[in-house]
Amino acid sequence: MSGKSIDKHPPNKPIDILLTGAVECARAGDQKAFTTLFEHYNRPICTYLTRLVGKNDLVQELAQDTFIQVWQHLPTLRDTEKFRPWLYCIATNVVKSHWRRTKVFHCLSWQEEEESDTDKALIVDAPDEHVGESELIKLVLEQLSPTQRTCLVLQTEGFSH
């Protein structure tokens, strides 16, 4: 891996400055600052996890495990500006641990799942050629290995290799 940053999140926005401050405070044990981080990142992490595992009931558990690990290991984070890629790395590792524990090394079938909020977000209302876009995305993701799926979903979250 090159020395380039993998986080393509645009820097120097006011929200980034506030979040960096929250990361610094949370590192020092400030629970209110951690709550701010949780409230900002919980939905994107849940969306990311849903795209990886495809099951909403499992996503909540994995998100909880992710944020517990973040809280426990936050004091070890060296560069507070790298919090976002560090958070996604933890989420990815939580999923990989789940796959190892359950010995699920194949892509999970999503056809049995009910339509989730994430599914609804993937559906484009217009024009007509985009109507089945959500289903097509699911079909493509089903064909990928867990590692390939992780790479693709991280790319859509703004990270690069």
Side-chain angles (χ1 to χ4, degrees):
M1 184 171 185
S2 69
K4 295 180 183 177
S5 171
I6 62 166
D7 188 358
K8 288 188 174 181
H9 189 62
N12 300 325
K13 289 187 173 184
I15 190 75
D16 292 338
I17 294 168
L18 292 173
L19 290 173
T20 299
V23 171
E24 290 171 2
C25 291
R27 270 182 55 191
D30 185 334
Q31 291 180 353
K32 191 172 184 177
F34 185 77
T35 299
T36 299
L37 294 172
F38 174 82
E39 289 172 351
H40 182 79
Y41 288 107
N42 184 52
R43 184 178 178 123
I45 288 296
C46 286
T47 300
Y48 171 68
L49 293 170
T50 299
R51 290 176 180 164
L52 290 180
V53 300
K55 293 188 174 190
N56 281 338
D57 57 335
L58 179 59
V59 166
Q60 295 303 316
E61 180 183 333
L62 295 175
Q64 180 180 3
D65 290 349
T66 296
F67 283 102
I68 288 171
Q69 286 191 29
V70 167
W71 175 252
Q72 291 172 341
H73 295 90
L74 198 51
T76 66
L77 177 64
R78 292 184 188 144
D79 185 353
T80 56
E81 292 181 10
K82 302 291 184 194
F83 177 78
R84 185 173 176 266
W86 182 73
L87 170 63
Y88 277 80
C89 182
I90 290 174
T92 301
N93 289 337
V94 165
V95 169
K96 288 179 179 180
S97 292
H98 166 74
W99 284 334
R100 278 191 300 272
R101 277 193 319 270
T102 59
K103 297 185 184 196
V104 177
F105 292 104
H106 62 285
C107 295
L108 300 171
S109 173
W110 294 350
Q111 295 173 357
E112 301 166 2
E113 294 297 314
E114 293 179 21
E115 189 172 295
S116 68
D117 290 338
T118 302
D119 296 336
K120 292 174 187 170
L122 292 174
I123 296 172
V124 179
D125 293 330
D128 287 341
E129 66 255 14
H130 295 291
V131 172
E133 192 171 287
S134 177
E135 288 303 312
L136 181 59
I137 290 170
K138 285 181 182 182
L139 290 171
V140 169
L141 288 173
E142 282 180 348
Q143 302 303 313
L144 300 175
S145 72
T147 301
Q148 292 169 326
R149 186 185 311 161
T150 301
C151 291
L152 180 63
V153 173
L154 280 170
Q155 183 80 24
T156 66
E157 293 293 328
F159 296 96
S160 67
H161 55 299

